[in-house]
């Protein structure tokens, strides 16, 4: 798996500068910048093994959660383009958005 080296990787930059500061907080947990970055790198490695590459468009369907943030930043780390989708759309609308976006992959986050 090749993580796309992006000099504008804001999460890596923040993890390098302030690794122990809180980056994300949920009802049950908080993530430091380092923890969030490490989780994102692990997800990027997995997505890369699944075939997601630089410039691929990746459909992201999921609710507002830590998993969503991790998946979104992992897609960025691969140099791919996230296509966030409103979970309130009807199935036909989601299908139309998928075709319109020319996405190659779908990541469905069931939280």
């Amino acid at each position: 798996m090749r993580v796309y080296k992006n000099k504008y990787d804001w999460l890596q930059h923040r993890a390098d500068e302030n690794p122990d500061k809180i980056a994300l907080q949920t009802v049950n947990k908080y993530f430091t910048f380092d923890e969030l970055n490490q989780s994102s790198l692990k997800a990027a490695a997995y997505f890369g093994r699944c075939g997601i590459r630089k410039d691929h468009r990746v459909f992201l369907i999921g609710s507002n959660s830590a998993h969503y943030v991790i998946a979104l930043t992992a897609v960025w780390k691969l140099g791919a383009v996230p296509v966030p989708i409103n979970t309130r759309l009807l199935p036909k609308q989601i299908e139309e958005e998928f075709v319109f976006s020319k996405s190659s992959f779908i990541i469905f986050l069931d939280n």
Side-chain angles (χ1 to χ4, degrees), residues 3-110:
V3 173
Y4 179 67
K5 297 297 180 191
N6 181 347
K7 68 180 181 177
Y8 302 108
D9 183 344
W10 68 271
L11 183 53
Q12 182 66 59
H13 175 74
R14 298 301 293 163
D16 291 343
E17 296 287 319
N18 298 297
D20 299 324
K21 286 199 175 185
I22 295 174
L24 178 66
Q25 186 171 349
T26 69
V27 173
N28 302 321
K29 181 176 173 141
Y30 71 88
F31 292 83
T32 65
F33 280 107
D34 186 59
E35 290 170 331
L36 184 60
N37 190 53
Q38 292 304 314
S39 294
S40 179
L41 285 167
K42 287 177 187 175
Y46 174 75
F47 295 157
R49 287 191 303 274
C50 292
I52 297 174
R53 302 283 182 264
K54 184 178 183 291
D55 296 327
H56 280 164
R57 291 186 181 135
V58 180
F59 224 53
L60 284 174
I61 302 173
S63 61
N64 186 9
S65 68
H67 290 116
Y68 191 91
V69 174
I70 291 165
L72 178 70
T73 55
V75 168
W76 281 331
K77 284 183 179 296
L78 291 169
V81 179
V83 181
I85 296 303
N86 184 340
T87 58
R88 294 184 182 141
L89 293 177
L90 298 172
K92 180 67 177 165
Q93 293 171 309
I94 291 173
E95 179 183 346
E96 289 169 355
E97 289 292 327
F98 181 76
V99 171
F100 177 77
S101 71
K102 298 179 182 165
S103 291
S104 303
F105 292 88
I106 298 173
I107 297 174
F108 179 76
L109 301 156
D110 185 18

